[in-house]
Amino acid sequence: MKKFYLCFLTAVAPFFGVMAQQVQLTFRVDMSQQTVSPNGVHVAGNFQALAGQGTDWNPASTLLTDPDRDGIYEVQLTLPTGGLFQYKFINGNSWAGAELVPEACGLNDGGGNINRTVNATAANSQVPAYRFGTCETSSVIIPETDYSTFWWNDAVFYEVFVRSFYDSNADGKGDFKGLIQKLDYLNDGDPNTTTDLGITGIWLMPMMESPSYHGYDVTNYYATESDYGSMADFEEFLAAAHARGIKVIIDFVMNHSSDQHPWFTESSSNATNSYRNWYIWSTTNPGYTGPSGQTVWHPRNGNYYYGIFYSGMPDLNWSNAQLKSTMWDVTRFWLNKGVDGYRIDAVKYLDEDGRNMENTPETYSLLQEFNQVVKGTKASAFTVGEAWSNSAAVVPYVQNNRLDLAFEFDLASAILNSVKNNNPTSLRNQLSVVNRIYPKLQYGTFLTNHDQNRVMNELGSNLPHMKQAASLYLTMPGVPFLYYGEEVGMLGAKPDEDIRKPMQWTPGANAGFSTATPWRSVNSNYAQFNVQTQSADPNSLLNHYKKLIQIRHAQPALRKGYHQDMTSGNASVLSYARIFEQEAVVVVSNFGAEAVSSPVISLAVSSLPAGNYRVTDLYSGQSMGNVTLNQQGGVSNWSIAGVTLAVDQTLILKLSPSTATGISPEAESLGLKLFPNPSAGKVTISLGKPASGRNQLIVFDVSGRILQQTNFLGDNYTLETAGWESGVYFVKVQSGEKITLKRLVITR
């Protein structure tokens, strides 16, 4: 039978016209109603040899995965040409688990065998997410729009290493007073100016007392590092930042202290003093190593103490009630001092359980307690954690009232890899993952940080690539964090000291950082890549960053909007939409080696009302005409006429309603909410602001057919959906002259 498959398909592919262009083909199958085999889910067909996977119809070579755990398994393949392909899904890795494809949605191969087919002719082709063994497809999921955002979702943060930012007293080291002198560069406090960078949050790397240059081994949690200045200097900086509208969070090293901390000195002196159990001790060497094979048990005075990073950083024992109480006092101290929150270092190692050192239940429980202390002290305080792991392992840190945000390392890697490799596939896939598995918008985006080679090194000093990477992460969902000097193209590669070199302010001596010899030599590229030189060049990387940050601040959709993937007619083009209330920002980026004329993009569905929308290029301010969205809030094959998307160029387009079906300019003033949404039963309709008099309710389906029409009084109404089929519906409420329309998803 396999031979017949091959002969048949060799004959049909040319008949249907194989195209001489590369195709990205995505297979998807809904396994939510199946018990998935331990051997995984596979797809087999006559595309496999073309995709470089050996022979066709191999049930074990093409594995699908479900990274976001929604029951939809998928795989994306690159084919040198397109055409008509036959395939079927396999629950497992042998033909025994092959699905029986119904004849109604399959093709008989002539031997009584029914296969699915896909005509992959577009540069990005995707099969529907069929339910395994059926002709049914998974319902189109309308993005959730009733989610909360917070002040940090409006912020752009800037990571500062104080020692390397600006030296005010000519000792070769940066300090708080130097930071104050440079605040106007970061944000001058005047929203009408465009000469400052425009950041609205600062993350200070460790600034507590420490014997090391980096500060991650604290000797006094209640004192500032003397190299940086006094507590009064820090308070002056804090006030100056706040006066400019800049929030300040500080690094909080909760996992370990310095071995020179008085607590540890006492703890190590003998086995019976009151500080002994503030750290983790063993009379013998337990012998096991850390996650990377590193030594974690270190000898001291005939015993061994636990320190996951190195001997100079003994881990704190969070099982000790006195230690915990003291650290909660430290937490309150800095919040009461005026800081706006914390970045938590090495959060996944906080509370180990024997050999289980990462992501333990004890750590999750500890963070819930930490959250109570933080929010109880300062309700608006913000926490972000460094859980350097894959996305699935990071998500628990931002669930169940633990941390507000965590850094998204996999997304950072995907941005850089896609830009470097001129291929948006890995970024497209990772964007899809993070925007499904995290609480909406609650993760930190960045390119590199103080523990990684600088982005200028990672991208080979390629300025167009640098601009593209910046354009992407500053328009994505999440909360962006810039690493100081990134915006002027500072270099830096391991060791860590060389990733944390002095900031490059001018082309003059010591890059304008200090009049004395800096604590670390300046970078070799400072003469061209510095603030002074780039400020004067309208096309510089620095001015690109300034423009992007200005755009982000001005557009609620880029700060609060959800992400919706868009497809493109060109495999090298990545496009996505950020949607908030009745506006959208559409991002279109060219990763290819050639320019793309009149790029063609499509949006399957969104919460935007149908109607005509004005299109504006936010970077240039130019009008780009109009686009019409259909009843699904989407658009098919929108050709952005007259535009040539250059290599590495990113368009940032705003869609503003000019005419939208049934919607007034004051649409959101009713504050309409539907919950639950999606729903399988009754839905509560709630008006966030008091309504005046009688309200009119109309529910209609995607074809415009009215299902229900009624009037109600007050601010709430219960909608009964019994008898409705699964799918998308529109709920419109009018109160006086004000009208609001929301989408409702019904699932059965």
Side-chain angles (χ1 to χ4, degrees), residues 436-589:
R436 293 185 204 176
I437 66 176
Y438 281 89
K440 280 286 185 289
L441 313 183
Q442 304 311 315
Y443 52 88
T445 59
F446 65 105
L447 296 178
T448 61
N449 65 22
H450 62 280
D451 287 324
Q452 301 167 301
N453 291 344
R454 280 188 174 271
V455 62
M456 190 70 161
N457 290 70
E458 289 295 306
L459 296 181
S461 297
N462 184 318
L463 277 177
H465 278 179
M466 288 286 292
K467 289 183 177 182
Q468 184 178 33
S471 297
L472 291 166
Y473 93 102
L474 286 168
T475 57
M476 286 177 184
V479 179
F481 287 76
L482 287 68
Y483 184 39
Y484 81 94
E486 168 190 316
E487 74 277 14
V488 294
M490 280 181 62
L491 290 169
K494 295 281 187 176
D496 285 348
E497 291 89 338
D498 288 346
I499 303 168
R500 306 167 187 178
K501 285 192 168 192
M503 178 68 177
Q504 294 164 197
W505 294 105
T506 74
N510 301 323
F513 163 74
S514 175
T515 57
T517 301
W519 76 272
R520 193 78 172 178
S521 62
V522 296
N523 275 313
S524 59
N525 73 343
Y526 78 90
Q528 179 182 358
F529 294 89
N530 62 76
V531 171
Q532 180 179 306
T533 300
Q534 293 201 19
S535 293
D537 178 2
N539 297 314
S540 69
L541 181 63
L542 174 58
N543 281 315
H544 182 65
Y545 266 85
K546 289 179 181 179
K547 184 70 172 180
L548 291 171
I549 294 170
Q550 291 163 15
I551 291 172
R552 187 177 181 94
H553 287 323
Q555 303 302 321
L558 290 178
R559 294 179 278 112
K560 302 174 185 290
Y562 64 82
H563 167 273
Q564 190 73 333
D565 191 31
M566 300 181 71
T567 57
S568 168
N570 189 301
S572 67
V573 172
L574 172 72
S575 185
Y576 52 87
R578 302 289 311 284
I579 300 165
F580 182 70
E581 296 181 349
Q582 287 189 79
E583 292 188 334
V585 173
V586 171
V587 179
V588 190
S589 190

Side-chain angles (χ1 to χ4, degrees), residues 191-207:
N192 296 314
T193 60
T194 59
T195 54
D196 56 329
L197 185 58
I199 60 92
T200 53
I202 290 176
W203 154 26
L204 292 184
M205 288 171 61
M207 38 61 67

Side-chain angles (χ1 to χ4, degrees), residues 35-47:
T35 300
V36 174
S37 166
N39 295 318
V41 179
H42 292 75
V43 61
N46 68 316
F47 59 86

Side-chain angles (χ1 to χ4, degrees), residues 21 91 158 166 186 365 442 549 564 576 607 618 620 638 646 658 683 740:
Q21 72 167 28
N91 192 358
Y158 191 81
Y166 188 66
L186 297 175
S365 178
Q442 304 311 315
I549 294 170
Q564 190 73 333
Y576 52 87
S607 60
L618 290 174
S620 68
W638 171 24
S658 51
V683 176
T740 301

